[in-house]
Amino acid sequence: MQIESSTAPSNGAPASHQVPANAASLQTFVFALFFIFGGITSLNDVIIPKLKDLFTLSYAQAMLVQSAFFAAYFIVSIPAAAIVRRIGYMRTAVVGLLTMTAGCLLFIPASSSGMFATFLIALFVLAAGITIVQVVANPLISLLGAPQTAHSRLTFAQAFNSLGTTVFPYVGAILILGSLATVDPATLSGAALDAFRAEETRVVVQTYIGLAIALVIVAALVWHNRKKLVETPAPKVSILKAFELLRQPRFAFGAACIFLYVGAEVAVGSVIVNYLMESNVLALSAEEAGKHVPLYWGGAMVGRFIGAALLRMFSPGKVLACAAAMTITLLLVSANTTGMVSGWSLLAVGLFNSIMFPTIFSLACEGLKERAAEGSGLICMAIVGGAIVPLITGHAADAVGLKMALAVPAICYAVILCFGVFARRPRAL
């Protein structure tokens, strides 16, 4: 789809480059979408220790939560981009919100079954909806304003994503981790074990039913305002044609870095609770460790507000390279120290994660113009890194411990540093 101004163009620019007259009000909806999908995604960080405890899982098995969740990005992103081209941004957002609602409601049968696999199915459907919403939100916020400030605007929008990731885990830690069982599931079997798991996951179900209700309300609001965005159909092309964008070195490198960034960010977030519970780190209880997760995501929120300003003053590529260098430093410090220094240096990684996704996204997509939705779909496919890198990190943690496993995300950030240097100059159009 192409976005047109609701008023006649005054500068003779192509319609796809016109900023809608009501861009400010439309941005409010997009900010709300960023808040919602960011918050729900971050709840995985408190669900993982809950399910790990109930189903007596290894770290690698517990990371299947992230694998099921982020696999949806790989499978659904390109179809989502096709839906955008067919029915437009606002209507596609409604489709995504209702799919998220269905995923939340699937937690009801998942809890009743008492089986880990059914939770993975519910998480996959929920993530499918989030993928559709994200394919809409990323290019839309870039298009609702001047092209030269797209980096800053997308970073500012991501701050609302981080607001969601800060609020949701804290509430989730109280509701979900605050009720970690005092009975060891390993001592139960058969019907008794199934009943125990169903009872213990009831708080998870209640949390997601509340989310489902909120999502239906938001979907209704977006549908009611769908006509505020004037769109014209983009030329029909094969869904596979989007992969031609990978022939562009800058775009391909950027997509690879999205894979690595999301994987690294999710891997660190996924181990925080168990990491802070370690006796040689902070030795916290599960609930207290869970309440620290918002500090990781909250650092990203603060960093994005700061980053939105820095990206107006400095080359986005240089800012990205500096941020990646800081995350590597913090991971090395955390892995090689103990106590407060180890715990807080890991939490501080969130601050420097802040500008990475929006900056990598906008650097990779520079100059795509009417193919922005296709580019967003491909890049959202790359978010499947959140399914793979945490799983590798989980296997490393089982083999050599959580501290040494931090080498996995550190390697990811090293590649991102290289992309920042590579893309430090604007793309020649």
Side-chain angles (χ1 to χ4, degrees):
M1 304 297 288
Q2 294 181 353
I3 296 178
E4 291 185 339
S5 174
S6 57
T7 58
S10 59
N11 57 2
S16 59
H17 288 180
Q18 295 299 307
V19 179
N22 55 356
S25 63
L26 290 172
Q27 285 180 14
T28 302
F29 284 104
V30 182
F31 292 155
L33 296 179
F34 274 95
F35 175 82
I36 291 167
F37 69 69
I40 293 178
T41 300
S42 67
L43 276 180
N44 290 352
D45 295 342
V46 294
I47 288 177
I48 286 173
K50 177 74 172 182
L51 298 182
K52 184 177 185 296
D53 177 72
L54 288 179
F55 293 95
T56 57
L57 306 172
S58 67
Y59 284 113
Q61 291 170 328
M63 289 299 181
L64 289 173
V65 167
Q66 302 291 25
S67 296
F69 192 90
F70 286 94
Y73 281 90
F74 184 77
I75 296 170
V76 177
S77 291
I78 292 297
I83 295 172
V84 171
R85 295 178 70 89
R86 185 174 181 83
I87 66 174
Y89 284 101
M90 298 292 276
R91 290 175 175 81
T92 303
V94 174
V95 171
L97 289 165
L98 293 179
T99 305
M100 290 167 66
T101 302
C104 288
L105 294 177
L106 282 175
F107 277 84
I108 299 174
S111 176
S112 300
S113 73
M115 296 173 60
F116 180 54
T118 57
F119 282 96
L120 298 182
I121 293 171
L123 285 163
F124 177 85
V125 175
L126 175 60
I130 290 175
T131 302
I132 295 169
V133 171
Q134 192 157 347
V135 168
V136 169
N138 286 321
L140 185 54
I141 198 64
S142 294
L143 294 169
L144 292 175
Q148 60 268 29
T149 58
H151 301 289
S152 175
R153 192 166 53 256
L154 185 55
T155 298
F156 185 76
Q158 287 281 342
F160 287 87
N161 178 283
S162 294
L163 179 60
T165 62
T166 302
V167 173
F168 279 56
Y170 187 84
V171 176
I174 296 172
L175 296 178
I176 298 173
L177 295 183
S179 61
L180 275 177
T182 55
V183 177
D184 184 358
T187 63
L188 303 175
S189 61
L193 179 59
D194 291 340
F196 171 76
R197 286 171 173 167
E199 177 64 27
E200 286 296 316
T201 54
R202 184 174 299 173
V203 292
V204 178
V205 172
Q206 292 170 345
T207 301
Y208 280 88
I209 288 176
L211 288 173
I213 294 170
L215 287 168
V216 169
I217 294 171
V218 175
L221 289 172
V222 175
W223 179 258
H224 179 72
N225 289 276
R226 67 192 183 281
K227 294 182 180 179
K228 285 188 174 182
L229 187 65
V230 181
E231 304 179 65
T232 56
K236 292 183 179 180
V237 295
S238 168
I239 193 172
L240 298 178
K241 190 175 178 63
F243 289 94
E244 292 179 359
L245 294 173
L246 294 175
R247 296 176 182 173
Q248 302 179 24
R250 187 186 182 101
F251 180 82
F253 197 176
C257 285
I258 289 290
F259 176 96
L260 296 172
Y261 164 70
V262 174
E265 180 190 48
V266 171
V268 173
S270 298
V271 303
I272 282 176
V273 173
N274 290 108
Y275 194 87
L276 299 183
M277 291 171 65
E278 294 270 291
S279 59
N280 64 347
V281 183
L282 296 183
L284 298 176
S285 67
E287 181 179 355
E288 287 303 311
K291 288 180 179 178
H292 282 68
V293 173
L295 298 176
Y296 174 71
W297 297 109
M301 178 180 66
V302 172
R304 279 169 178 161
F305 283 115
I306 297 171
L310 291 176
L311 288 166
R312 289 176 179 266
M313 297 184 288
F314 302 103
S315 161
K318 292 178 181 178
V319 175
L320 176 64
C322 290
M326 286 302 302
T327 58
I328 295 168
T329 301
L330 288 167
L331 288 171
L332 290 174
V333 169
S334 184
N336 290 282
T337 57
T338 59
M340 297 285 287
V341 174
S342 180
W344 285 99
S345 57
L346 186 67
L347 290 170
V349 168
L351 178 65
F352 297 96
N353 274 339
S354 56
I355 58 92
M356 290 192 188
F357 185 95
T359 305
I360 296 169
F361 179 92
S362 53
L363 285 172
C365 291
E366 276 184 357
L368 294 188
K369 300 178 182 178
E370 69 275 1
R371 304 193 70 180
E374 296 172 61
S376 179
L378 278 177
I379 283 184
C380 283
M381 281 185 70
I383 292 175
V384 73
I388 297 172
V389 177
L391 190 60
I392 296 171
T393 305
H395 280 292
D398 288 329
V400 296
L402 280 174
K403 283 184 173 291
M404 292 298 293
L406 295 180
V408 177
I411 293 170
C412 296
Y413 287 122
V415 178
I416 293 168
L417 189 158
C418 294
F419 177 69
V421 175
F422 173 81
R424 67 189 182 278
R425 295 187 180 88
R427 179 178 178 177
L429 301 179

